[in-house]
Structures are given as C-alpha cells and as structure tokens.
Amino acid sequence: LRLVTAEGHLLTPKDSLEAAGIRDGDHLTAIYRKALVSSTARAFALCCSGDDQIVTWGDGGYGGDSSQVQDLLRSAQQMQSSDRAFAAILGDGSVVTWGDVDEGGAESF
C-alpha cells in the first residue's frame, strides 16, 4: 500500500504524517499493489509487484539469502520457486535466480 498526497508526493512507510506535512482535512490517495510471495522448502521471498527489491528470509542454501543478486532484482513481475531456489521474472523480461545452483539458483538470463 502506498499513500500519495494531493500534491503528488509519495509517502514512505518511514514518514510520519506530521513530518510529511499532512494536516487534518488533507486528502491522501491509497495505491494498492499486489504482493508476490513464493517459498522453497526452507525459505520465503516477498515483494510488491513492480517494487525495486525482493525481501528474502530463511535458510540461505534454500534461497533465503538473495544478497548476491539483490542489485539485479528490479521491477519483479512474477516469482517462482523449486525446492531450493527462486526465480524472478522482471519487467524487462529478464530472469534472475538465486538459491541452490543444482536446483536452478544463481543465474541471470
């Protein structure tokens, strides 16, 4: 969920309403974004469609550590997983994978 002010400023989750200059009676627009969730046997991956990052957690050998490919994970449109690896299809059509190499991880196409 994203909030946008009447002036078109995007509020981040870290912004307080006071710090953003929002006053009683001001109008905000809420933008809903579809969440993408996928899991392997011991890890999870989450992002909102089009976001510039995917959050992963769990066993690193099962894809819970995406730090080696995090800079490639931009504008994910879809995510899939095997037992020990993840794949993300990005907005430009490229595919980034991470997790166990023998299960399809650690490549980009």
Side-chain angles (χ1 to χ4, degrees):
L1 182 67
R2 302 288 177 134
L3 296 176
V4 180
T5 67
E7 293 79 27
H9 300 288
L10 181 66
L11 301 179
T12 69
K14 296 177 183 177
D15 294 334
S16 71
L17 295 178
E18 183 178 315
I22 305 299
R23 296 191 176 103
D24 188 29
D26 285 355
H27 294 272
L28 297 174
T29 300
I31 301 171
Y32 166 78
R33 300 178 80 184
K34 179 181 171 184
L36 303 173
V37 180
S38 192
S39 67
T40 63
R42 296 185 185 174
F44 297 89
L46 167 74
C47 80
C48 288
S49 182
D51 267 2
D52 283 343
Q53 78 172 17
I54 293 177
V55 177
T56 59
W57 67 98
D59 188 319
Y62 287 73
D65 179 5
S66 59
S67 60
Q68 292 184 354
V69 295
Q70 194 60 236
D71 60 326
L72 301 174
L73 296 174
R74 302 286 182 251
S75 301
Q77 303 299 307
Q78 294 181 43
M79 281 194 305
Q80 298 294 322
S81 61
S82 67
D83 190 51
R84 298 176 70 135
F86 292 98
I89 301 172
L90 307 182
D92 64 2
S94 63
V95 176
V96 176
T97 64
W98 66 98
D100 187 325
V101 175
D102 294 331
E103 291 279 335
E107 301 284 338
S108 60
F109 308 97

